[in-house]
Coordinates of all heavy atoms in Angstrom, one line a residue:
W6 N 17.5 -51.8 -26.7 CA 16.4 -50.9 -26.9 C 15.8 -51.2 -28.3 O 14.6 -51.1 -28.5 CB 16.8 -49.5 -26.7 CG 17.7 -48.9 -27.7 CD1 19.0 -48.9 -27.7 CD2 17.3 -48.4 -29.0 NE1 19.5 -48.4 -28.9 CE2 18.5 -48.0 -29.7 CE3 16.1 -48.1 -29.6 CZ2 18.5 -47.4 -31.0 CZ3 16.1 -47.6 -30.9 CH2 17.3 -47.2 -31.5
W10 N 12.0 -51.9 -29.3 CA 11.3 -51.0 -30.2 C 10.7 -51.7 -31.3 O 9.6 -51.5 -31.7 CB 12.2 -49.9 -30.6 CG 11.5 -48.9 -31.6 CD1 11.8 -48.8 -32.9 CD2 10.4 -48.0 -31.3 NE1 10.9 -47.9 -33.5 CE2 10.1 -47.4 -32.5 CE3 9.7 -47.7 -30.2 CZ2 9.1 -46.5 -32.6 CZ3 8.7 -46.8 -30.3 CH2 8.4 -46.2 -31.5
K13 N 7.4 -53.6 -31.0 CA 6.2 -52.8 -30.8 C 5.6 -52.5 -32.2 O 6.2 -52.0 -33.0 CB 6.5 -51.5 -30.1 CG 7.0 -51.6 -28.7 CD 5.9 -52.0 -27.8 CE 6.4 -52.1 -26.4 NZ 5.4 -52.5 -25.5
R14 N 4.4 -53.0 -32.3 CA 3.7 -52.8 -33.6 C 2.2 -52.5 -33.3 O 1.7 -52.9 -32.2 CB 3.7 -54.1 -34.4 CG 5.1 -54.5 -34.9 CD 5.5 -53.7 -36.1 NE 6.8 -54.2 -36.6 CZ 7.9 -53.6 -36.4 NH1 8.0 -52.5 -35.7 NH2 9.0 -54.1 -36.9
L15 N 1.6 -51.7 -34.1 CA 0.1 -51.5 -34.0 C -0.6 -52.8 -34.0 O -0.2 -53.7 -34.8 CB -0.4 -50.6 -35.1 CG -0.1 -49.1 -35.0 CD1 -0.6 -48.4 -36.2 CD2 -0.6 -48.5 -33.7
E32 N -3.5 -47.2 -28.0 CA -2.7 -48.1 -28.8 C -1.4 -47.4 -29.1 O -0.3 -48.0 -29.1 CB -3.4 -48.4 -30.1 CG -2.7 -49.4 -31.0 CD -2.4 -50.7 -30.4 OE1 -2.8 -51.1 -29.3 OE2 -1.6 -51.5 -31.1
L33 N -1.4 -46.1 -29.4 CA -0.1 -45.3 -29.7 C 0.7 -45.3 -28.4 O 2.0 -45.5 -28.5 CB -0.5 -43.9 -30.2 CG -1.1 -43.8 -31.5 CD1 -1.5 -42.4 -31.8 CD2 -0.2 -44.4 -32.6
L34 N 0.1 -45.1 -27.3 CA 0.9 -45.1 -26.0 C 1.5 -46.5 -25.8 O 2.7 -46.6 -25.3 CB 0.0 -44.7 -24.8 CG -0.4 -43.2 -24.8 CD1 -1.4 -43.0 -23.7 CD2 0.9 -42.3 -24.6
R35 N 0.8 -47.5 -26.1 CA 1.3 -48.9 -25.9 C 2.5 -49.1 -26.9 O 3.5 -49.6 -26.5 CB 0.2 -49.9 -26.3 CG 0.7 -51.4 -26.0 CD -0.2 -52.4 -26.6 NE -0.3 -52.4 -28.1 CZ 0.7 -52.8 -28.9 NH1 1.8 -53.4 -28.4 NH2 0.6 -52.7 -30.2
C36 N 2.4 -48.6 -28.1 CA 3.5 -48.7 -29.1 C 4.7 -47.9 -28.6 O 5.8 -48.2 -28.9 CB 3.0 -48.3 -30.5 SG 2.0 -49.5 -31.2
N37 N 4.4 -46.8 -27.9 CA 5.5 -46.0 -27.4 C 6.2 -46.6 -26.2 O 7.2 -46.1 -25.7 CB 5.0 -44.6 -27.0 CG 5.0 -43.7 -28.1 OD1 5.5 -43.9 -29.2 ND2 4.3 -42.5 -27.9
G38 N 5.6 -47.7 -25.6 CA 6.2 -48.4 -24.5 C 5.6 -48.1 -23.2 O 6.1 -48.5 -22.1
F39 N 4.5 -47.3 -23.2 CA 3.9 -47.0 -21.9 C 2.8 -48.0 -21.5 O 1.7 -47.7 -21.2 CB 3.2 -45.6 -22.0 CG 4.2 -44.5 -22.2 CD1 4.3 -43.7 -23.4 CD2 5.1 -44.2 -21.2 CE1 5.2 -42.7 -23.6 CE2 6.1 -43.2 -21.4 CZ 6.1 -42.4 -22.6
Y51 N -3.0 -38.8 -19.1 CA -2.3 -38.3 -20.3 C -3.0 -37.1 -20.9 O -2.3 -36.2 -21.3 CB -2.0 -39.5 -21.3 CG -1.0 -39.1 -22.3 CD1 0.3 -39.0 -22.0 CD2 -1.4 -38.8 -23.6 CE1 1.3 -38.7 -22.9 CE2 -0.4 -38.5 -24.6 CZ 0.9 -38.5 -24.2 OH 1.8 -38.1 -25.2
E72 N 6.3 -32.8 -34.1 CA 6.9 -33.6 -33.0 C 8.2 -34.1 -33.4 O 8.3 -34.7 -34.5 CB 5.9 -34.8 -32.7 CG 6.4 -35.7 -31.6 CD 5.5 -36.9 -31.4 OE1 5.0 -37.4 -32.4 OE2 5.4 -37.3 -30.2
V73 N 9.2 -33.9 -32.7 CA 10.6 -34.3 -33.0 C 11.0 -35.3 -32.0 O 11.0 -35.0 -30.8 CB 11.5 -33.1 -33.0 CG1 13.0 -33.6 -33.3 CG2 11.1 -32.0 -34.0
G74 N 11.3 -36.5 -32.4 CA 11.8 -37.5 -31.5 C 11.3 -38.9 -31.9 O 10.7 -39.0 -33.0
C75 N 11.6 -39.9 -31.1 CA 11.2 -41.2 -31.4 C 9.8 -41.5 -30.8 O 9.5 -41.0 -29.8 CB 12.2 -42.2 -30.8 SG 13.8 -42.2 -31.6
G76 N 9.1 -42.3 -31.5 CA 7.8 -42.7 -30.9 C 6.8 -43.0 -32.0 O 7.1 -42.9 -33.2
A77 N 5.6 -43.3 -31.6 CA 4.6 -43.7 -32.5 C 3.6 -42.6 -32.8 O 2.6 -42.7 -33.5 CB 3.8 -44.9 -31.9
G78 N 3.9 -41.4 -32.2 CA 3.1 -40.2 -32.5 C 2.0 -39.9 -31.5 O 1.1 -39.1 -31.8
A79 N 2.0 -40.6 -30.4 CA 1.0 -40.4 -29.3 C 0.9 -38.9 -28.9 O -0.2 -38.4 -28.7 CB 1.2 -41.3 -28.1
F80 N 2.0 -38.2 -28.7 CA 2.0 -36.9 -28.3 C 1.4 -36.0 -29.3 O 0.5 -35.2 -28.9 CB 3.5 -36.4 -28.0 CG 3.6 -35.0 -27.4 CD1 3.4 -34.8 -26.1 CD2 3.8 -33.9 -28.2 CE1 3.5 -33.5 -25.5 CE2 3.9 -32.6 -27.7 CZ 3.7 -32.4 -26.3
L81 N 1.7 -36.1 -30.5 CA 1.2 -35.2 -31.6 C -0.3 -35.6 -31.8 O -1.1 -34.7 -32.0 CB 1.9 -35.4 -32.9 CG 1.7 -34.5 -34.0 CD1 2.0 -33.0 -33.6 CD2 2.5 -34.8 -35.2
Y82 N -0.7 -36.8 -31.7 CA -2.1 -37.2 -31.8 C -2.9 -36.6 -30.7 O -4.0 -36.1 -31.0 CB -2.2 -38.8 -31.8 CG -3.6 -39.3 -32.0 CD1 -4.1 -39.4 -33.3 CD2 -4.4 -39.7 -31.0 CE1 -5.4 -39.8 -33.6 CE2 -5.7 -40.2 -31.2 CZ -6.2 -40.2 -32.5 OH -7.4 -40.7 -32.7

Side-chain angles (χ1 to χ4, degrees):
W6 70 267
W10 177 251
K13 297 288 183 180
R14 299 279 185 254
L15 284 175
E32 181 64 6
L33 292 172
L34 288 170
R35 185 193 66 75
C36 287
N37 276 349
F39 294 114
Y51 192 72
E72 179 184 37
V73 179
C75 291
F80 185 81
L81 193 59
Y82 184 80

